[in-house]
Amino acid sequence: MKNITVSDIKKNNLTLIYNLIYSSGKISKQEIASHLNLSLPTVTQKIVKLEEKGLVIKEGYFESSVGRRAVAYSIRSNARIAIGVGIHQNQVRILSIDLKGEVCGTSRFDIPYANREEYYKEVAYKIKDFILEQNYLLDQILGIGFAIQGLTSVDGQKITYGDTLGYTGLDISAFSRYLNSHCAFFHDAKCAAETELWVNDSISNALYLSVGNHLGGAMIANGKVWMGENGHCGAAEHMQLVPDGRECYCGARGCIETYCSLGALLNPQEKIGDFFEVLRQGDAEHMRRWDEFLNYLSNALNNLHILLDTPVILGGEISHFLVQEDLEKLQDLTTRRVVFSNRENFIQVSLYPKDSISVGAALHYIQDFINQI
């Protein structure tokens, strides 16, 4: 306590007031003073400072049956913007979110990934075009997060493992040299898990499993995405499911990735929407493939649940197409394998299946900003 200064207390009050306005949606000065046990002059002074920074605005008045109506204050959600960029094998997805985490603008374009200067330059210029189209000012942008299929350094400045697209060792400067904002790499599955936490604050512990063309896992512990000692905590995709099974891009055989990703379910050039459309029509071949896929997935989920004893959240592209019947069948197949007496339903579907990866890459900057007000 001896090291806490008056300046620290003032800053703390500013943070407390901003966060209360943020969480309340709309609130009056009198309510802020009451909630935080602060004097009204102190609250007024801090709100004026937040208004000068462009972070808080007056938004009408509260109804009152007696006396003057109290001014309603709310945050200015577009005071700052963060941009998320999803790097995929044949496509790049760009979006922006405001301080409330709401998507403000989106763009996507087809471009095959290539480890060449021309690729990085073209992607960077597409991002700059997006910023211009959205009329964002440079000092409005908190940062640009790049979601990639691979592991990153702790500071997000380098891809430490990215064999899916062959960009292991890539430095963020490949993109940032063309952009006038802070840039960082983020693991795509961990981005999706961050988005899930943002929309569902009831999550405490869970394994997030992103089922797309490739599989990706992220561990949530105590309400936060847990990176582990070396950044690969939750990477369930590379746990062995079938000894000496199918060859994985990582060089090993029998990884969960090779049996429980969309790459394992779909035929070459087959689209997921087309697969499920034919499946729902009762086609025997599609039903056989689906049953086989669910059988492998249930085996993997059972192993993971025995180890972690947490809910498993299924996200990624597949979550768009799952219906209640699929979940019941998957849960039933998994329950049959459970050796313990408490056979509760632990499989959930993502609450935010669309663009969760790009949103999560941007959320990093939003959360940092809110925490540092």
Side-chain angles (χ1 to χ4, degrees):
M1 291 294 289
K2 291 181 180 179
N3 295 325
I4 297 177
T5 66
V6 173
S7 177
D8 292 330
I9 294 172
K10 288 181 177 179
K11 185 179 186 304
N12 184 56
N13 287 339
L14 192 75
T15 302
L16 290 172
I17 290 170
Y18 181 82
N19 279 280
L20 181 57
I21 297 173
Y22 187 100
S23 61
S24 301
K26 287 184 181 182
I27 193 170
S28 68
K29 288 192 292 187
Q30 292 80 1
E31 289 174 307
I32 293 171
S34 176
H35 274 288
L36 300 179
N37 196 27
L38 296 172
S39 69
L40 196 56
T42 295
V43 172
T44 299
Q45 181 189 48
K46 299 304 178 186
I47 286 182
V48 168
K49 189 171 183 178
L50 289 169
E51 285 182 302
E52 290 173 347
K53 289 175 175 286
L55 298 176
V56 165
I57 57 173
K58 297 182 179 74
E59 197 169 345
Y61 296 86
F62 287 105
E63 294 296 329
S64 175
S65 57
V66 293
R68 296 176 60 183
R69 294 187 298 167
V71 175
Y73 291 92
S74 64
I75 70 159
R76 188 161 73 88
S77 58
N78 66 348
R80 298 290 187 277
I81 296 293
I83 294 173
V85 182
I87 302 294
H88 304 274
Q89 185 171 4
N90 293 300
Q91 188 181 75
V92 171
R93 301 175 186 174
I94 307 169
L95 58 74
S96 56
I97 61 173
D98 63 18
L99 290 173
K100 286 293 187 73
E102 297 292 333
V103 176
C104 308
T106 62
S107 177
R108 61 184 63 192
F109 62 99
D110 296 329
I111 177 173
Y113 174 77
N115 188 10
R116 297 197 307 269
E117 187 69 22
E118 293 82 359
Y119 173 86
Y120 304 121
K121 186 175 182 179
E122 182 172 354
V123 171
Y125 275 75
K126 289 287 187 181
I127 296 170
K128 294 177 81 169
D129 289 343
F130 173 79
I131 292 171
L132 288 172
E133 290 166 4
Q134 298 296 319
N135 295 315
Y136 297 142
L137 301 175
L138 185 60
D139 60 0
Q140 191 179 2
I141 298 172
L142 295 172
I144 303 171
F146 290 82
I148 54 95
Q149 296 173 10
L151 304 180
T152 72
S153 59
V154 175
D155 60 7
Q157 297 302 292
K158 183 170 288 189
I159 300 175
T160 57
Y161 180 83
D163 280 7
T164 51
L165 293 183
Y167 40 36
T168 299
L170 183 67
D171 193 275
I172 193 64
S173 61
F175 293 105
S176 63
R177 71 185 64 176
Y178 302 108
L179 299 164
N180 297 317
S181 300
H182 184 273
C183 300
F185 288 125
F186 299 99
H187 182 218
D188 57 355
K190 291 179 172 59
C191 288
E194 290 285 7
T195 303
E196 199 70 23
L197 282 169
W198 183 265
V199 299
N200 186 358
D201 58 10
S202 67
I203 300 174
S204 179
N205 304 304
L207 176 70
Y208 184 95
L209 206 59
S210 178
V211 184
N213 188 50
H214 291 286
L215 204 65
M219 189 68 204
I220 298 172
N222 297 320
K224 295 182 179 180
V225 176
W226 188 29
M227 299 292 287
E229 294 288 334
N230 298 294
H232 55 71
C233 180
E237 60 268 28
H238 294 299
M239 293 178 66
Q240 190 180 66
L241 183 64
V242 179
D244 299 319
R246 299 168 184 168
E247 186 175 1
C248 181
Y249 65 82
C250 72
R253 286 188 171 275
C255 294
I256 295 176
E257 154 77 24
T258 63
Y259 292 90
C260 301
S261 64
L262 292 184
L265 172 65
L266 305 178
N267 291 326
Q269 309 305 318
E270 185 177 27
K271 295 181 179 179
I272 184 172
D274 296 337
F275 171 84
F276 277 100
E277 182 179 353
V278 178
L279 174 71
R280 301 309 181 200
Q281 294 171 2
D283 178 76
E285 171 60 15
H286 283 67
M287 291 177 68
R288 182 197 65 76
R289 287 161 56 194
W290 184 233
D291 287 343
E292 180 182 68
F293 179 83
L294 290 180
N295 190 56
Y296 281 124
L297 183 58
S298 67
N299 193 3
L301 294 181
N302 177 59
N303 291 341
L304 292 166
H305 186 58
I306 287 175
L307 178 65
L308 301 172
D309 193 21
T310 67
V312 176
I313 302 170
L314 294 179
E317 287 182 81
I318 202 170
S319 59
H320 293 276
F321 298 93
L322 295 175
V323 297
Q324 188 60 35
E325 182 183 348
D326 299 324
L327 293 175
E328 290 173 358
K329 188 171 186 176
L330 182 59
Q331 185 67 61
D332 180 59
L333 286 169
T334 308
T335 301
R336 293 178 195 176
R337 303 175 188 275
V338 175
V339 298
F340 304 111
S341 58
N342 55 329
R343 300 185 173 191
E344 78 285 359
N345 292 345
F346 63 87
I347 303 170
Q348 304 173 12
V349 178
S350 170
L351 296 180
Y352 200 118
K354 184 180 179 182
D355 289 326
S356 59
I357 289 173
S358 298
V359 168
L363 274 174
H364 168 84
Y365 293 102
I366 298 296
Q367 291 169 324
D368 272 3
F369 178 79
I370 292 170
N371 292 336
Q372 293 173 17
I373 290 289

